[in-house]
Amino acid sequence: AQKITQTQPGMFVQEKEAVTLDCTYDTSDPSYGLFWYKQPSSGEMIFLIYQGSYDQQNATEGRYSLNFQKARKSANLVISASQLGDSAMYFCAMRETSGSRLTFGEGTQLTVNP
Amino acid sequence: NAGVMQNPRHLVRRRGQEARLRCSPMKGHSHVYWYRQLPEEGLKFMVYLQKENIIDESGMPKERFSAEFPKEGPSILRIQQVVRGDSAAYFCASSPRLFRDLGFDEQFFGPGTRLTVL
């Protein structure tokens, strides 16, 4: 069974600094996708970035990058130059190619301080 | 292209009543997923449907919960005889197809329906 672990219930960062949100996963499927979503206080789920298990390079999307370490089964999200609007809940998720569902971690609440 | 639409956004029910949650997928999307988010928790998969078919309902409680995605109209998540423990945010997501490239097929999420059971 697939599993996602986010060990940081809460993280704090100063505005304009970088922050890393941790995510480890467990799966026996050799082919899978890893996702990060942002959930602001308004509640919607916003897709941020995706990493495929066979991708050779780490994914990047603007200020977001994914530090993918396949052997360690980790997919940490790095947010550079944090902004006040980055304050939100962040969820790591995985989908195995053999399945359909997304499995989510418990989330990390990020607070950006001015 | 309108995003995934869910209604109502907020729903209040008394114990024992029925709750009906609606989800209209993005245009051209034939795959719909329902997830539940209990307070202070991550999203948990409930059910995956294609038009007129339930593909995977392994995350659905065995009793009181049902889902459908008819040929015409939105997908419906129905909760009968609601209890306080059903209070949660229910999210619908849609995707155009199951697989693309090496398996990435982004699921686009709706804004959610927040169900409160009194």
Side-chain angles (χ1 to χ4, degrees):
Chain A
Q2 51 184 317
K3 184 179 178 182
I4 295 284
T5 302
Q6 294 180 254
T7 57
Q8 307 155 313
M11 287 285 286
F12 294 86
V13 65
Q14 289 297 123
E15 196 178 4
K16 299 181 185 178
E17 292 186 350
V19 63
T20 298
L21 306 183
D22 294 342
C23 173
T24 58
Y25 60 92
D26 189 23
T27 179
S28 56
D29 195 325
S31 180
Y32 50 88
L34 295 156
F35 303 77
W36 278 90
Y37 285 86
K38 172 184 178 181
Q39 187 177 44
S41 57
S42 51
E44 70 269 31
M45 295 290 288
I46 302 168
F47 167 75
L48 295 178
I49 195 167
Y50 161 81
Q51 179 84 44
S53 59
Y54 292 113
D55 291 344
Q56 296 296 314
Q57 294 186 330
N58 287 342
T60 59
E61 288 287 347
R63 294 186 300 111
Y64 304 108
S65 61
L66 202 152
N67 184 1
F68 181 46
Q69 298 187 43
K70 193 171 182 178
R72 297 180 60 186
K73 292 190 174 180
S74 73
N76 299 338
L77 177 70
V78 181
I79 305 174
S80 62
S82 297
Q83 302 173 356
L84 295 178
D86 294 335
S87 292
M89 196 74 164
Y90 288 80
F91 292 100
C92 180
M94 177 173 66
R95 184 166 74 76
E96 295 168 337
T97 304
S98 58
S100 55
R101 68 177 66 185
L102 284 171
T103 298
F104 285 84
E106 294 301 307
T108 296
Q109 180 67 49
L110 176 66
T111 302
V112 180
N113 295 315
Chain B
N1 190 7
V4 178
M5 299 179 69
Q6 289 186 251
N7 66 81
R9 294 292 305 276
H10 300 273
L11 181 61
V12 179
R13 284 288 178 267
R14 296 191 180 279
R15 282 179 296 170
Q17 290 183 322
E18 178 179 289
R20 279 180 167 250
L21 288 61
R22 295 174 187 78
C23 168
S24 296
M26 290 181 69
K27 186 177 181 180
H29 287 194
S30 58
H31 299 255
V32 166
Y33 312 79
W34 285 93
Y35 295 85
R36 177 167 66 175
Q37 184 179 29
L38 295 171
E40 310 299 325
E41 294 187 10
L43 279 69
K44 298 288 193 295
F45 169 81
M46 299 182 75
V47 63
Y48 160 46
L49 311 102
Q50 293 181 31
K51 284 284 187 181
E52 300 184 276
N53 289 303
I54 297 175
I55 307 301
D56 180 358
E57 58 181 346
S58 58
M60 287 270 276
K62 292 289 188 289
E63 298 177 350
R64 301 189 297 108
F65 285 73
S66 63
E68 63 178 9
F69 188 17
K71 187 176 180 181
E72 301 291 337
S75 174
I76 305 287
L77 179 66
R78 183 182 177 204
I79 311 172
Q80 295 178 291
Q81 299 176 318
V82 296
V83 301
R84 288 217 174 106
D86 296 333
S87 295
Y90 292 83
F91 287 91
C92 168
S94 74
S95 67
R97 53 193 176 279
L98 183 58
F99 296 123
R100 186 180 76 198
D101 297 331
L102 292 176
F104 170 42
D105 205 7
E106 181 186 343
Q107 293 183 13
F108 295 81
F109 281 81
T113 293
R114 275 141 190 88
L115 172 65
T116 301
V117 180
L118 301 177

